[in-house]
Amino acid sequence: MYDVLARPRDLKTAEGCGPAAPLPVAGTSKQGIPVPKGLASHAKVPHARTMLEKHTVPISDVRVPLKRKKTLCEDKVQKIAESILEDGQTTPIQLRPDGDGYVLIEGLHRLEALRILGEVSVLAYFVRARLH
């Protein structure tokens, strides 16, 4: 049986993967080819900007897909509207830029609650569209 405490683990090799096979460097493949990481590499944005940034967007510029509109629950909208009145919008919605406007990805009930309250803008994260 292998005694874990008898030998310090070598972090630069992969134990159990043959005779001390070296691990690939983070961000590169075994052949040294850069490996895409997350949203930033696909959007050609510098890696320092991978954190999502909040943007203020006019509600009138947000388009809600018909399929998403069918999932609207008025009771949930009312509860979120009450919460927004007390605490403000705490969680931004998610939008995808589309031409001159934006397409809603997540946050239909928050968006509708803000419309009911008469707000003209919404806090949003810009994200890439999901592939279905």
Side-chain angles (χ1 to χ4, degrees):
M1 186 163 157
Y2 183 72
D3 186 7
V4 178
L5 299 175
R7 184 176 140 216
R9 184 176 174 166
D10 184 2
L11 297 177
K12 296 187 188 229
T13 61
E15 293 182 17
C17 299
L23 294 173
V25 177
T28 61
S29 68
K30 289 180 182 178
Q31 294 81 19
I33 300 169
V35 176
K37 289 216 176 238
L39 180 65
S41 63
H42 295 293
K44 297 182 180 175
V45 177
H47 285 286
R49 296 181 53 115
T50 58
M51 293 291 294
L52 293 174
E53 294 179 13
K54 293 179 186 178
H55 300 274
T56 303
V57 175
I59 291 177
S60 60
D61 290 351
V62 178
R63 184 177 64 82
V64 180
L66 183 61
K67 193 175 189 179
R68 180 137 340 248
K69 282 182 184 179
K70 292 180 181 181
T71 65
L72 190 65
C73 174
E74 291 297 326
D75 292 337
K76 194 171 183 178
V77 171
Q78 288 297 330
K79 288 179 184 177
I80 292 173
E82 291 171 9
S83 172
I84 290 173
L85 280 175
E86 292 175 11
D87 305 323
Q89 183 187 356
T90 56
T91 307
I93 65 173
Q94 295 179 13
L95 302 175
R96 173 179 57 86
D98 183 46
D100 293 335
Y102 307 93
V103 176
L104 181 73
I105 303 297
E106 288 292 330
L108 173 63
H109 293 92
R110 283 171 273 164
L111 180 67
E112 292 303 319
L114 289 166
R115 279 188 182 150
I116 287 173
L117 294 173
E119 295 291 328
V120 293
S121 62
V122 60
L123 286 177
Y125 291 131
F126 294 159
V127 297
R128 293 183 52 186
R130 290 189 210 136
L131 300 175
H132 293 285

